[in-house]
């Protein structure tokens, strides 16, 4: 069975990507989450309701051993299945002006996005290399290109994801594995629910926040055969904001 692993697929952009990959590409979706099992189950119900299949795969992307153990165990139980698409989507914010960013807040944000990307990619890449095919999609951010005040930790994390995307893409392009990053601007989700949308949308030429589904369509295209010659790219999806 052809599968996609979407980290942080219990909510928001990850859930939308999980649904879209199932719908467009018929992939069996491994729905990763860390805390919110009920929301992850809801994602699974939604996938099944549109005729697709999937299963929950619990691990904290920050913890290398947990990720490896969960994926190895899944692989052993499913010898005929193959993770063809990895979407490194799990991410958090801990915003503050730099002097008040605690070590905890720095580490939590970097470890979720950057270490998480390392842990999950390490766990699937050997098989992709052997099979000579695969898609890796890293969900970065406008913050990683532009740098956003109050988000030094998050900007650093997303900037690192972008640089790593470019480096890894060049290492493995010969094996028909593409590695791309998506850099969303303001997207409606739990992550942005505390922001003053009416004020911030004035910064967006399109005059609105984006929808998780709009990001999901881009991820689905990058995961498809149609995008085989696109690699090492960072694709903005932000309603017209220049980085
Ligand atoms: N929303 C935006 O405007 C925006 C803009 C640019 C980039 N992004 C990026 O897009 C991605 C998704 O954001 P979102 O807006 O959909 O966020 P969200 O609604 O807050 O959802 C975050 C998801 O990540 C999961 N997660 C968090 N820490 C995790 C960990 N340690 N291990 C595994 N899963 C973890 C959460 O799982 P639980 O449900 O179990 O907690 C949840 O599914 C993030 O990387 C974010 O940085 C978002």
């Amino acid at each position: 069975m052809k599968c996609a692993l979407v980290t942080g697929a219990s909510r928001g952009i990850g859930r939308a990507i999980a649904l879209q990959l199932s719908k467009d590409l018929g992939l069996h979706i491994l729905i990763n989450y860390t805390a919110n099992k009920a929301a992850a189950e809801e994602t699974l119900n939604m996938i099944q309701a549109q005729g697709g299949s999937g299963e929950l795969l619990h691990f904290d992307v920050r913890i290398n051993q947990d990720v490896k153990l969960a994926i190895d165990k899944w692989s052993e139980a499913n010898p005929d299945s193959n993770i063809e698409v990895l979407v490194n989507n799990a991410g958090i914010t801990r915003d503050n002006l730099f002097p008040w960013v605690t070590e905890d807040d720095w580490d939590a944000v970097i470890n979720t996005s950057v270490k998480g990307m390392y842990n999950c990619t390490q766990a699937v890449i050997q098989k992709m290399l052997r099979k000579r095919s695969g898609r890796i999609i890293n969900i970065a951010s406008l913050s990683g290109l532009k740098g956003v005040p109050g988000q030094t930790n998050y900007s650093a994390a997303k900037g690192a994801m972008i640089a790593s995307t470019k480096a890894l893409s060049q290492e493995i392009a010969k094996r028909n594995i593409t590695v791309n990053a998506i850099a969303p601007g303001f997207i409606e989700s739990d992550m942005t629910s505390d922001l003053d949308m009416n004020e911030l949308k004035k910064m967006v030429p399109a005059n609105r926040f984006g929808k998780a589904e709009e990001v999901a369509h881009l991820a689905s295209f990058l995961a498809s055969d149609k995008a085989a010659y696109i690699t090492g790219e960072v694709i903005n999806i932000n309603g017209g904001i220049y980085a």
Side-chain angles (χ1 to χ4, degrees):
M1 197 156 37
K2 295 180 174 190
C3 303
L5 168 58
V6 183
T7 68
S10 45
R11 295 182 279 130
I13 293 171
R15 170 185 280 178
I17 291 173
L19 283 160
Q20 206 62 48
L21 292 179
S22 163
K23 194 175 176 185
D24 293 347
L25 306 177
L27 296 165
H28 179 81
I29 310 294
L30 306 183
I31 302 162
N32 163 254
Y33 68 102
T34 182
N36 218 325
K37 188 171 186 192
E41 278 168 349
E42 181 61 25
T43 302
L44 179 57
N45 289 339
M46 291 167 86
I47 288 172
Q48 287 168 341
Q50 63 179 25
S53 71
E55 63 192 281
L56 270 49
L57 196 62
H58 176 264
F59 55 78
D60 182 331
V61 296
R62 295 172 298 180
I63 303 171
N64 185 277
Q65 267 212 318
D66 285 10
V67 176
K68 196 174 157 13
L69 204 71
I71 294 177
D72 284 354
K73 211 170 136 191
W74 177 85
S75 297
E76 270 166 39
N78 298 276
D80 299 327
S81 295
N82 191 32
I83 298 173
E84 306 210 333
V85 177
L86 168 65
V87 184
N88 286 308
N89 166 79
I92 58 165
T93 49
R94 295 272 183 88
D95 295 353
N96 218 331
L97 292 172
F98 185 74
W100 291 280
V101 176
T102 63
E103 190 179 354
D104 258 10
D105 288 348
W106 184 268
D107 288 346
V109 170
I110 301 279
N111 286 343
T112 308
S113 279
V114 187
K115 187 80 186 295
M117 173 186 67
Y118 167 80
N119 289 337
C120 298
T121 308
Q122 279 286 342
V124 305
I125 201 163
Q126 291 295 348
K127 210 162 175 194
M128 284 185 179
L129 289 168
R130 277 201 303 277
K131 293 237 165 210
R132 294 184 170 267
S133 80
R135 292 278 187 276
I136 299 169
I137 299 166
N138 295 323
I139 307 301
S141 168
L142 171 75
S143 308
L145 288 162
K146 187 184 173 294
V148 170
Q151 289 196 317
T152 49
N153 48 359
Y154 187 73
S155 302
K158 296 305 191 179
M161 286 182 90
I162 287 169
S164 178
T165 298
K166 292 179 183 179
L168 181 61
S169 68
Q170 294 171 71
E171 285 186 20
I172 61 180
K174 269 190 188 148
R175 300 276 182 130
N176 295 320
I177 304 166
T178 68
V179 192
N180 290 292
I182 293 177
F186 293 110
I187 307 297
E188 282 179 45
S189 77
D190 291 347
M191 185 177 273
T192 52
S193 60
D194 289 343
L195 301 180
D196 184 344
M197 181 153 73
N198 283 329
E199 199 47 46
L200 288 167
K201 76 178 188 187
K202 292 178 192 157
M203 289 166 50
V204 184
N207 198 36
R208 66 173 177 86
F209 279 22
K211 297 193 182 313
E213 294 73 25
E214 292 173 312
V215 180
H217 283 297
L218 175 55
S220 172
F221 170 66
L222 288 173
S224 76
D225 289 344
K226 293 172 194 161
Y229 203 53
I230 302 173
T231 195
E233 282 297 328
V234 187
I235 303 183
N236 288 300
I237 176 160
N238 61 26
I241 303 173
Y242 276 106

